[in-house]
Amino acid sequence: MKTLYLRVQTPHPEDPAIQACVRVLRRGGLVAFPTETVYGLGADALEPEAVAKIFKAKGRPADNPLIVHAADADRAFELASDVPGEARRLADAFWPGPLTMVLPRADHVPLETTAGLDTVAVRVPAHAVALAFLVAYGSPIAAPSANVSGRPSPTKASHVLQDLDGKIDAVLDGGPTGVGVESTVLDVTVRPPRILRPGGVTEEALTKALGAVTGPSKAPHGETDIKEARSPGMKYRHYAPKAEAVAVHGSPADVARALTNLRNVQRKSKPGFLISRETLRLARWSESDPTVYVLGQRTDVEEAARRFYDGLRQLDHAGVAEIYIEAYPAVGLGVALYDRLVRATQGKALDAAAYLRSL
Ligand code: TXA
Ligand code: MG
């Protein structure tokens, strides 16, 4: 199939590109569209045949449920058979925004969408194009991240095309996304609500709004325990570049020294590096080197989250066999970034100071 590339002119329901995408969904087709977190691969959430195409295009395991997107909280809550008071409080505080709530599934939501579960994950995205598209379509849109299963999530329309060109009907280009990591998935069917996947809304913010939430337990470096995550999708290899990836822990000074050494040792295999600006300066490397990708200032975890998936894709594109990724502090949004780092590296990590001592 030929994938239509459509650029949004104005984020309005009447926009010609948005209207063309509405027609695609009405025919039961697939449209990739921007949200504030990452691009989603959308289909009509209430049409089982349309939803089945999402699983096929992504190569997604059939037991991994989809997030359903709605234009506002009322329409999102229509998808649930019961809406606890906490959910309404959370909607007031965080919607539109990068929070997904798991609620009991209403009967009219097909089991294809929820992968057979009696719960449904819903969210109202905080992106003008996504909201205009949802309003124009007038019905909820199921959308996982618009990548081939297991690959880094797309934060630009070009990332979507790298993975899905020829496999989906259209991509709606609304520019790069803002947050860069996915939404927080919160199970609101349990007391207190439980974080299934850390994401754009931090645990601190949720705790402030609700009084208490529980999260996946933290291992020594602050990573979430992969085995303990209960979101079905969290058990799969995820967010991973083609290259073998390794997380590198330590101060920028130690990371710069360790990576300089590794680069010399592995000169022949040309490894790639995803690092902070501080580390780049200390190592005296050039930013224009295609095997080096700068995530931004080490203190700016928001920028690092925004750039993380793009960095993995660019280094894959540069053809490196190995990628060393500087670990940022796992606080605030850094918890979600750290979770994606652990998954992309499948837990492989190097302590820069210990490595330097071993030389
Ligand atoms: O930011 C986001 O959440 C993006 C944008 C497009 O909205 N979407 C996204 O979807 O990341 P996806 O499919 O890549 O991740 C959805 C996660 C998976 O881990 C899935 O298992 C979990 O949400 N999930 C969906 N429905 C669930 C349910 N009923 N119970 C528990 N987990 C659920
Ligand atoms: Mg995904």
Side-chain angles (χ1 to χ4, degrees):
M1 116 182 22
K2 172 131 179 58
T3 300
L4 278 175
Y5 171 84
L6 298 158
R7 196 190 291 270
V8 179
Q9 298 302 323
T10 49
H12 190 276
E14 300 302 323
D15 178 83
I18 289 177
Q19 283 295 320
C21 291
V22 164
R23 290 192 292 276
V24 171
L25 289 194
R26 292 225 167 97
R27 291 199 308 267
L30 302 183
V31 174
F33 65 98
T35 79
E36 81 279 34
T37 56
V38 301
Y39 274 72
L41 179 59
D44 188 317
L46 305 180
E47 291 294 337
E49 298 90 66
V51 164
K53 291 181 192 166
I54 292 179
F55 286 86
K56 186 149 182 273
K58 280 183 60 101
R60 185 178 179 98
D63 65 350
N64 192 1
L66 307 177
I67 294 175
V68 182
H69 299 69
D72 56 44
D74 287 342
R75 283 183 260 196
F77 289 150
E78 281 171 13
L79 301 160
S81 62
D82 177 51
V83 180
E86 281 102 331
R88 296 191 191 278
R89 285 227 298 285
L90 290 165
D92 286 343
F94 299 108
W95 279 354
L99 176 68
T100 295
M101 290 192 236
V102 173
L103 294 165
R105 176 180 61 88
D107 286 340
H108 70 286
V109 178
L111 288 166
E112 282 77 3
T113 302
T114 66
L117 296 179
D118 273 331
T119 54
V120 60
V122 296
R123 88 175 187 102
V124 178
H127 192 290
V129 173
L131 289 173
F133 185 33
L134 284 161
V135 167
Y137 190 53
S139 195
I141 299 176
S145 50
N147 50 278
V148 162
S149 250
R151 297 270 298 139
S153 298
T155 54
K156 297 175 175 172
S158 61
H159 296 164
V160 175
L161 291 172
Q162 283 170 6
D163 281 16
L164 297 173
D165 196 11
K167 295 183 182 162
I168 62 176
D169 298 277
V171 56
L172 183 60
D173 189 350
T177 61
V179 180
V181 291
E182 298 81 352
S183 63
T184 302
V185 179
L186 185 71
D187 185 353
V188 194
T189 67
V190 294
R191 302 275 100 61
R194 184 169 196 267
I195 296 173
L196 303 179
R197 177 179 74 180
V201 171
T202 64
E203 184 172 339
E204 292 85 339
L206 290 171
T207 305
K208 213 165 142 199
L210 281 183
V213 294
T214 55
S217 66
K218 302 248 166 57
H221 276 305
E223 74 256 42
T224 46
D225 184 339
I226 292 184
K227 287 192 293 300
E228 223 204 288
R230 272 201 301 187
S231 235
M234 299 302 270
K235 63 177 186 260
Y236 296 106
R237 178 176 151 91
H238 243 316
Y239 317 115
K242 292 175 184 142
E244 177 126 345
V246 181
V248 183
H249 295 270
S251 66
D254 284 346
V255 172
R257 282 176 57 214
L259 294 185
T260 300
N261 193 277
L262 281 163
R263 198 181 202 189
N264 287 333
V265 178
Q266 301 181 12
R267 211 171 13 224
K268 285 216 188 69
S269 68
K270 279 228 188 79
F273 301 92
L274 209 59
I275 54 175
S276 69
R277 186 158 300 288
E278 288 86 335
T279 299
L280 176 88
R281 283 214 196 91
L282 289 161
R284 298 168 194 264
W285 291 348
S286 156
E287 200 177 343
S288 57
D289 183 326
T291 65
V292 175
Y293 186 99
V294 178
L295 288 167
Q297 298 287 345
R298 171 91 161 227
T299 47
D300 193 347
V301 71
E302 273 78 23
E303 187 178 5
R306 203 153 46 232
R307 290 172 64 76
F308 182 70
Y309 291 134
D310 184 58
L312 293 178
R313 284 179 179 268
Q314 285 213 18
L315 292 175
D316 264 345
H317 191 73
V320 303
E322 208 158 34
I323 300 177
Y324 292 97
I325 308 171
E326 181 170 343
Y328 273 54
V331 289
L333 186 64
V335 174
L337 178 62
Y338 196 89
D339 171 83
R340 306 310 187 262
L341 173 65
V342 171
R343 290 169 201 285
T345 56
Q346 299 184 278
K348 280 192 287 299
L350 178 80
D351 185 275
Y355 170 76
L356 289 167
R357 279 194 303 275
S358 76
L359 293 177

